[in-house]
Amino acid sequence: MYAKVSSRSDKSATGTGAKQSTQHSAHQRSEIRKKLFEFEDNRLAAVVYGQHDRNLARIEQLLGVVLINRGNRVAIEGSAERTEIAYQVLTDLNAMAGEGREIDTGEVDGAVRMAEGAPAANDGLQSSSNGGSLHTASAPRAAPRGSDLKITTRNRVIMPRSKGQADYVSKLATADMVFGVGPAGTGKTYLAVAMAVARMLAGEIDRIILSRPAVEAGESLGFLPGDLKDKVDPYLRPLYDALYDMMPAEQVEKRIASNQIEIAPLAYMRGRTLANAFVILDEAQNTTPMQMKMFLTRFGENSRMAICGDPSQVDLPSHITSGLKHCLNKLRDIEGVAVTRFDASDVVRHPLVGRIVEAYGDDDGR
């Protein structure tokens, strides 16, 4: 039934012919593993496979394994470690599909990142006659990896798609003040907005306050046209986009009108005490040390703060120290303050973004 998989395995084991020693060929065969994943529900199998099996092709591309699907069964072939990871990815995607979630490339990439960060489980592998191994098991819809950290909003359920995101979501759920520090595309702001919306919908807070320094290219708020909202809207657009992704548009507009969701530019925060609120500061790398101190000391009763920034994208003049870098040094050992540091492996945008981040490395952009 799975002749294609067997032929691939045989080729890997014996294709080097007389040029390789018998001992080396046996070693090659021992590295090949096969495992069989079986879906209990054919409809879920179709969802996980994707149109024209594109999700399976993506798993093959990311993990370097071979996947052959027949009906509700998928034969997995590859190294022992990669085979186990692929099996876990299919398990997690099966669980997501069982929850009614659409399985797209982003979900597949996230499942792979999460599975790669978990310890391998080699139980159930049995030796096969060709030196590989075969595992046949029905796969129940267990909770997907990271599901205990899911954030539920009106429009969607958000789950971490990387180890860094899992750490960040865990800290957002438990710590009073959380710093999300790292490159673009890692979900720092998006996840903070999701947690804020979830807490407001659950009645745990009364308000969401969004703030961002408007200092890009040295432009001052006072010289921009319009009222306060008009002045800061261009700078806060990423936060609006996240809000509209979490709630219906009419709900967002209604809550903004009633000040449940408040636009509070950093320049206008002085002297306030922010109580019963989830406060998010985006682009924190563009604050000065004094601005950052002012913002952090606005912290009020029953409030949470998320401070998001990318130290490699500072738009301040070169002689001014970034308030984000300064405060991370100052608050290193303060109880109640948590920090998640993202890296290129946590980038959840297009894979090219991750490669660009790696290429720039620690360049501070100055």
Side-chain angles (χ1 to χ4, degrees):
M1 183 176 181
Y2 294 99
K4 186 174 181 181
V5 176
S6 296
S7 65
R8 282 181 181 269
S9 178
D10 293 339
K11 182 177 179 181
S12 297
T14 63
T16 55
K19 294 181 181 180
Q20 301 290 344
S21 68
T22 303
Q23 181 179 5
H24 182 66
S25 296
H27 178 67
Q28 274 194 313
R29 285 196 299 269
S30 68
E31 292 179 342
I32 301 300
R33 293 291 183 272
K34 287 190 256 181
K35 202 165 184 177
L36 186 65
F37 185 94
E38 184 173 352
F39 292 89
E40 290 185 330
D41 189 328
N42 287 352
R43 293 170 299 176
L44 299 185
V47 173
V48 171
Y49 294 165
Q51 189 175 17
H52 306 304
D53 295 342
R54 64 185 178 187
N55 292 338
L56 297 185
R58 181 63 175 167
I59 295 171
E60 289 183 320
Q61 178 188 10
L62 293 174
L63 294 178
V65 296
V66 175
L67 303 180
I68 306 297
N69 58 309
R70 296 285 188 272
N72 68 329
R73 295 182 176 185
V74 181
I76 310 167
E77 179 188 343
S79 69
E81 179 186 9
R82 299 277 99 180
T83 297
E84 288 299 327
I85 292 174
Y87 189 91
Q88 183 59 55
V89 168
L90 290 174
T91 300
D92 290 347
L93 294 177
N94 181 38
M96 293 179 195
E99 294 176 351
R101 295 171 60 182
E102 180 182 350
I103 307 300
D104 56 17
T105 301
E107 295 288 5
V108 174
D109 289 0
V112 170
R113 277 190 296 269
M114 294 297 288
E116 285 183 319
N122 291 314
D123 54 301
L125 282 174
Q126 299 176 347
S127 297
S128 64
S129 59
N130 65 358
S133 60
L134 184 64
H135 179 113
T136 305
S138 179
R141 293 201 299 273
R145 193 177 301 275
S147 61
D148 55 329
L149 298 173
K150 67 182 178 183
I151 305 172
T152 303
T153 67
R154 286 277 166 80
N155 283 2
R156 61 178 59 223
V157 174
I158 298 101
M159 290 194 337
R161 291 183 174 183
S162 72
K163 290 185 290 182
Q165 285 196 352
D167 178 71
Y168 187 50
V169 171
S170 176
K171 288 172 179 174
L172 286 171
T174 57
D176 292 331
M177 182 179 293
V178 181
F179 287 82
V181 182
T186 50
K188 303 181 298 294
T189 303
Y190 187 86
L191 291 172
V193 173
M195 184 64 75
V197 170
R199 287 187 176 277
M200 185 172 68
L201 294 177
E204 296 176 17
I205 57 168
D206 297 332
R207 294 181 297 163
I208 296 173
I209 299 175
L210 309 175
S211 186
R212 192 177 186 183
V215 297
E216 302 183 30
E219 196 164 19
S220 171
L221 282 174
F223 294 101
L224 296 176
D227 60 18
L228 175 61
K229 185 173 182 296
D230 294 330
K231 289 176 189 290
V232 300
D233 268 0
Y235 298 100
L236 293 163
R237 180 48 50 189
L239 299 174
Y240 278 115
D241 291 343
L243 283 171
Y244 286 120
D245 209 28
M246 309 296 168
M247 293 190 294
E250 62 274 12
Q251 282 289 318
V252 175
E253 298 298 336
K254 179 180 177 181
R255 292 177 187 272
I256 289 176
S258 66
N259 281 331
Q260 283 183 288
I261 298 176
E262 183 181 350
I263 310 303
L266 193 59
Y268 290 73
M269 298 268 292
R270 191 174 299 276
R272 301 184 61 186
T273 299
L274 307 175
N276 298 309
F278 199 112
V279 189
I280 299 171
L281 176 62
D282 194 25
E283 298 292 332
Q285 75 275 3
N286 287 328
T287 62
T288 66
M290 288 305 296
Q291 286 175 327
M292 180 62 81
K293 179 182 177 182
M294 179 272 293
F295 175 80
L296 297 178
T297 54
R298 303 306 94 201
F299 198 88
E301 193 134 347
N302 191 38
S303 287
R304 297 291 179 98
M305 274 190 175
I307 300 94
C308 314
D310 179 359
S312 71
Q313 296 192 29
V314 178
D315 295 314
L316 297 168
S318 59
H319 65 279
I320 298 179
T321 301
S322 168
L324 177 61
K325 180 180 179 180
H326 181 265
C327 80
L328 287 174
N329 290 329
K330 290 285 188 182
L331 306 182
R332 187 178 302 155
D333 300 318
I334 300 296
E335 184 179 353
V337 176
V339 180
T340 294
R341 296 185 182 272
F342 297 91
D343 58 33
S345 67
D346 296 304
V347 173
V348 295
R349 291 181 186 166
H350 193 283
L352 181 58
V353 175
R355 295 195 290 271
I356 291 171
V357 169
E358 287 182 328
Y360 272 87
D362 295 327
D363 188 352
D364 67 0
R366 295 195 183 280

